[in-house]
Amino acid sequence: MQQTFRQKAILQLEEAKKKEPALSSYYQLYQDLLQIQEEVAGNITTSLDLVDESVMNDRLHTGKPQLSFEHLPIDPQLFANQVQRIMTLLLAYQGDEVEIPLLKEDELLEKAHQYFQENQSMEKDDLLELAIDQALMPYLEHAAVQVMPHLDTKKWLRGNCPCCGAESNFAYLDAEGTRILVCSRCRYQWRYRRTGCPYCNNIDPKTIRFYPAGEKKSHRLYVCDHCKRYLKAVDRRVAGTVVDLIAEPILTWSLDRAAREKGYR
């Protein structure tokens, strides 16, 4: 049976645990999160009812993302159980011995709807918001695979995802050197300008920089002094085309640390 992209990422993280045993608990957390998402993804079979393609293209051309919360084929009971499991994982990783209150299905869906609409940033304020965000990912990925092949996003060139509207948490340079952003929520990929900040649209070369990183200079850390945000990226022309875009943002934790030590977020 062919491995899914999550199963491949889980195996990469297992190899990372052997190389960096001091970070075993960190990698294990993400392995567990990916495993929960994998189990949920296997139970999502509902096809989306797509609207007319002309309406979809109108949304694209006016800068509006395609998906709304109502598009997602969420099973309330499965979703509530998933959030509960993720909350347990996050609290255990933090070392908190806190009893998690039973989360009611209708309340969770209401909160998920609210978070989906109001907070498209990858920066989450609390653990429940983070757990809901992680729990939504399999549904969003399922929807993205069905919706986005109908659209040509080459001219989108915006910092937020054309599929679900969320921010990018990683990027890569393809064989032609085009910068491709990866959505932090639905994992859709879209092209973006080689220069410029996808978070605040700053294009002033005096306040935007990138630093080559890694032994082969295969990675980059883009920083913006206007909004103090940073973006990690891998140059596939140097690293090779086989780069796991699920595992790579996790494996490049040292770039996160370097950016935060310099005051970026």
Side-chain angles (χ1 to χ4, degrees):
M1 183 180 295
Q2 187 175 7
Q3 289 180 329
T4 68
F5 63 85
R6 286 191 194 84
Q7 290 169 338
K8 291 177 181 177
I10 289 171
L11 289 177
Q12 278 215 29
L13 296 178
E14 189 63 31
E15 289 301 312
K17 284 162 63 176
K18 297 174 184 176
K19 296 176 183 177
E20 302 174 276
L23 294 172
S24 287
S25 60
Y26 167 74
Y27 292 130
Q28 186 63 53
L29 171 65
Y30 282 100
Q31 284 180 302
D32 291 340
L33 288 172
L34 289 169
Q35 184 58 45
I36 291 173
Q37 292 173 351
E38 179 72 6
E39 293 169 13
V40 173
N43 290 316
I44 303 174
T45 57
T46 307
S47 297
L48 270 66
D49 292 326
L50 300 180
V51 297
D52 186 274
E53 285 192 25
S54 63
V55 175
M56 295 167 66
N57 277 297
D58 283 343
R59 293 187 66 82
L60 188 72
H61 295 148
T62 55
K64 297 176 182 177
Q66 297 296 320
L67 294 182
S68 66
F69 188 79
E70 289 74 20
H71 282 123
L72 306 180
I74 295 176
D75 179 302
Q77 184 177 9
L78 182 64
F79 184 73
N81 178 60
Q82 187 183 6
V83 173
Q84 201 87 27
R85 290 174 65 190
I86 293 173
M87 281 288 290
T88 301
L89 275 178
L90 295 174
L91 288 168
Y93 179 73
Q94 289 191 339
D96 295 335
E97 295 182 4
V98 179
E99 185 175 345
I100 305 172
L102 185 63
L103 303 170
K104 296 181 179 179
E105 295 173 12
D106 55 344
E107 292 176 357
L108 266 181
L109 284 179
E110 185 177 343
K111 283 186 177 294
H113 193 179
Q114 176 187 345
Y115 291 158
F116 183 89
Q117 289 182 311
E118 295 178 0
N119 191 359
Q120 296 170 341
S121 168
M122 60 184 176
E123 298 178 308
K124 305 304 173 189
D125 294 330
D126 57 48
L127 285 184
L128 179 58
E129 187 177 3
L130 177 58
I132 287 175
D133 196 62
Q134 290 288 318
L136 283 175
M137 289 183 73
Y139 299 99
L140 286 162
E141 293 162 8
H142 177 79
V145 168
Q146 295 187 58
V147 172
M148 300 313 289
H150 297 272
L151 296 164
D152 180 1
T153 58
K154 289 179 182 177
K155 295 183 180 180
W156 176 261
L157 298 179
R158 296 172 182 265
N160 63 308
C161 176
C163 180
C164 73
E167 292 181 340
S168 167
N169 68 337
F170 201 72
Y172 67 88
L173 301 183
D174 66 12
E176 280 110 37
T178 302
R179 184 161 55 152
I180 308 295
L181 301 184
V182 182
C183 180
S184 62
R185 200 160 62 175
C186 72
R187 295 196 171 112
Y188 182 71
Q189 303 169 23
W190 71 103
R191 63 190 297 171
Y192 190 66
R193 297 188 297 266
R194 280 290 301 272
T195 59
C197 175
Y199 302 118
C200 70
N201 298 316
N202 177 24
I203 57 173
D204 181 1
K206 295 179 181 179
T207 55
I208 296 174
R209 295 183 300 281
F210 78 83
Y211 300 97
E215 293 182 3
K216 299 179 181 179
K217 306 299 182 186
S218 56
H219 290 72
R220 295 183 176 196
L221 186 62
Y222 293 92
V223 298
C224 174
D225 288 330
H226 184 262
C227 66
K228 303 302 289 185
R229 299 287 298 275
Y230 73 90
L231 176 68
K232 298 185 296 182
V234 60
D235 189 340
R236 282 183 161 172
R237 297 169 300 179
V238 179
T241 56
V242 184
V243 176
D244 191 314
L245 295 174
I246 305 302
E248 201 66 17
I250 304 165
L251 295 170
T252 50
W253 59 269
S254 60
L255 293 182
D256 294 294
R257 184 179 64 182
R260 288 166 186 162
E261 286 177 351
K262 293 182 179 296
Y264 298 98
R265 56 187 176 85

